[in-house]
Amino acid sequence: MSVDKRLRIEGRIANHDREFEGAIEINTTTGLIEHVGPKEGRSDLETEGCILFPGFGDLHIHAREDVSGTQCYKEDFVTNSNAAIHGGVVQVADMPNNPVAPIDDEKYAAKELLTKKSAVHVTLYAGIGPQTQPLHRHVPYKAFMGPSVGDLFFRSQAQLEAAIANYRGRNVSFHCEDPEILEAHKHAPTHEQKRPASAEITATEFALYLIEKYELAGKLCHYSTGDGLKKIAAAKARGVRVTCEATPHHLFFDDSMLTDENRLWLQMNPPLRSPSDRVALIAALKSGLVDYIATDHAPHTIEEKLKGVSGVPLLDTYGAFATWLMAEHGFTACDISRVCAFNPGVFVREFLPASLGKGFGLIAPGYAASLTILDMKTPYAVTRESVKTKCAWSPFEGYTFPGSVRYTVLNGQVHQAS
């Protein structure tokens, strides 16, 4: 007869609604939290100077692997999970703009089989294109409103609405850039001018219209414009079911920081915005208007970046970035728990297997024993050699974050930062 094994972790615990000193009792056989109680001075891990968070979740990553295998030179589900663990991320949601896009039941199931090699849990988005139909199973969806990296996108609002009409009541995330505005600006001199703020704001208005009309559970991806945030706030106030992501790069960098030396490295879709947009995003994340920190982790090779491919890899620095928000912008541990763990956990909960219990995002009995333990006293100096992503670079190279990830716990299994 097998005996369940236990792991006890004591320290400062931060859920989205309270921060307290406590002890977490984990059943490492089931991978679930069994009990949360008072400290007794007998922790199995050294957590001095740390804060214990529910495991962080990144709802927007591009792991690159599909059945074609043609982009695995950039990243795959193994190296993606290595980067996630290094960044304190325990669950990710992977986008569908692959060479073989998961747009039907068969292609979705084939890609899902590939995720089994991942150490962190992977939720897959299915793609929405001009000719697609909903899957027979319950999954989240992604719609690229205009051209981005990949071929799964729309060329007009009418084309997009005709497709979305088939997805009434579904969970749909939107990449908000209007295709007609992008077309009109395609000859502008810089990447930032080719994808102006007006493209995001116009697409936001249309996405909110679609979410409301077709009763979607909507999410706006990698949001970047302050003026657009006002439209999201108004929609939420009138009861539209919409949530919103912000990326580390749009929160940390702005277009005033671009130089001839870093412009290609900091090219992404949507592009960096103005300093005032960045300040507005930080305030919206802190207030709760923006619901998630999601990286849009886009692992392109160094050679590709030098040729002008858009996207930056950010899984490795997720947890350390959270310490910057706390040190530089006054985010509380509960704020971080809300936008990095609890809200992402709520988003994926309806798509999770029963083996994960109540899911992610809360340190409480019955939830997955997946934790992010941040060391608030040990800085992380980002170097090209330190990251685990296969593409082997970071836009944060040369920057030192005020804290670091000490442990990432996955279903009761401890991974120490290296």
Side-chain angles (χ1 to χ4, degrees):
M1 181 172 127
S2 63
V3 178
D4 289 342
K5 296 181 179 180
R6 300 294 194 275
L7 175 70
R8 182 181 177 89
I9 307 175
E10 297 188 348
R12 191 71 181 167
I13 297 171
N15 277 326
H16 69 288
D17 55 353
R18 72 183 184 115
E19 187 178 350
F20 59 100
E21 296 287 337
I24 307 165
E25 294 278 0
I26 293 169
N27 183 325
T28 61
T29 302
T30 64
L32 301 177
I33 295 171
E34 286 198 339
H35 181 70
V36 179
K39 289 177 65 174
E40 297 177 2
R42 52 184 185 92
S43 181
D44 293 323
L45 296 181
E46 174 52 58
T47 62
E48 180 67 27
C50 294
I51 301 176
L52 283 56
F53 293 92
F56 290 168
D58 189 346
L59 297 183
H60 192 139
I61 66 106
H62 300 268
R64 300 299 176 199
E65 185 169 4
D66 69 354
V67 293
S68 76
T70 57
Q71 293 191 350
C72 288
Y73 67 92
K74 305 178 193 239
E75 195 83 288
D76 57 53
F77 284 118
V78 172
T79 59
N80 186 84
S81 63
N82 293 341
I85 292 167
H86 187 233
V89 174
V90 307
Q91 59 101 354
V92 297
D94 186 56
M95 288 299 171
N97 56 333
N98 304 109
V100 180
I103 57 174
D104 57 36
D105 292 286
E106 182 181 2
K107 292 183 177 68
Y108 189 94
K111 184 178 177 183
E112 191 172 43
L113 282 175
L114 299 173
T115 70
K116 304 304 180 185
K117 66 183 74 170
S118 173
V120 302
H121 182 78
V122 181
T123 301
L124 294 180
Y125 293 90
I128 296 178
Q131 307 299 325
T132 63
Q133 294 289 330
L135 274 61
H136 289 92
R137 58 187 290 190
H138 183 50
V139 303
Y141 296 89
K142 172 69 178 293
F144 294 84
M145 300 177 76
S148 186
V149 178
D151 301 317
L152 196 68
F153 60 85
F154 296 87
R155 296 195 178 277
S156 69
Q157 290 186 349
Q159 187 186 47
L160 174 61
E161 182 167 7
I164 291 296
N166 297 318
Y167 291 81
R168 180 178 292 275
R170 303 307 206 280
N171 184 307
V172 180
S173 294
F174 292 88
H175 178 133
C176 290
E177 288 186 291
D178 182 81
E180 296 176 3
I181 293 177
L182 295 184
E183 178 66 22
H185 288 78
K186 68 180 181 181
H187 297 303
T190 69
H191 181 75
E192 291 70 35
Q193 292 168 331
K194 289 175 181 175
R195 310 182 85 97
S198 60
E200 179 167 283
I201 295 166
T202 297
T204 298
E205 293 171 340
F206 193 61
L208 293 172
Y209 156 78
L210 294 174
I211 292 166
E212 191 164 18
K213 179 176 180 179
Y214 295 102
E215 301 174 311
L216 307 175
K219 174 162 66 68
L220 307 187
C221 297
H222 41 50
Y223 214 74
S224 67
T225 61
D227 286 343
L229 290 171
K230 300 170 187 175
K231 299 179 184 299
I232 297 168
K236 285 190 172 189
R238 66 175 185 269
V240 178
R241 287 200 302 164
V242 62
T243 58
C244 182
E245 306 169 357
T247 69
H249 49 273
H250 288 118
L251 295 163
F252 190 91
F253 301 104
D254 58 57
D255 61 10
S256 73
M257 303 173 187
L258 292 172
T259 66
D260 290 342
E261 288 73 30
N262 69 15
R263 182 176 292 277
L264 288 176
W265 298 106
L266 294 177
Q267 179 176 309
M268 69 286 294
N269 306 333
L272 296 182
R273 303 297 187 192
S274 71
S276 62
D277 286 318
R278 185 172 73 87
V279 170
L281 280 175
I282 292 170
L285 184 69
K286 195 172 185 180
S287 72
L289 175 58
V290 171
D291 302 272
Y292 324 98
I293 296 177
T295 63
D296 193 12
H297 175 69
H300 300 295
T301 66
I302 292 170
E303 293 75 18
E304 287 170 331
K305 288 301 295 179
L306 293 174
K307 292 177 181 177
V309 176
S310 294
V312 291
L314 288 165
L315 267 175
D316 279 281
T317 48
Y318 191 108
F321 178 78
T323 71
W324 176 80
L325 287 173
M326 295 175 73
E328 294 295 324
H329 293 284
F331 280 64
T332 67
C334 290
D335 291 334
I336 295 300
S337 193
R338 169 174 48 85
V339 297
C340 297
F342 182 76
N343 287 347
V346 170
F347 182 89
V348 300
R349 191 169 298 157
E350 63 194 277
F351 310 111
L352 298 177
S355 60
L356 288 169
K358 296 179 180 179
F360 301 103
L362 198 63
I363 295 177
Y367 281 80
S370 294
L371 312 174
T372 303
I373 301 179
L374 294 186
D375 184 336
M376 305 304 296
K377 296 183 178 180
T378 302
Y380 172 35
V382 185
T383 65
R384 189 163 290 184
E385 294 72 28
S386 71
V387 297
K388 307 301 181 185
T389 176
K390 187 184 281 190
C391 70
W393 69 278
S394 169
F396 287 121
E397 287 170 33
Y399 183 78
T400 298
F401 288 107
S404 55
V405 177
R406 184 179 294 185
Y407 304 105
T408 303
V409 182
L410 300 177
N411 303 314
Q413 305 304 309
V414 179
H415 298 259
Q416 187 163 8
S418 58

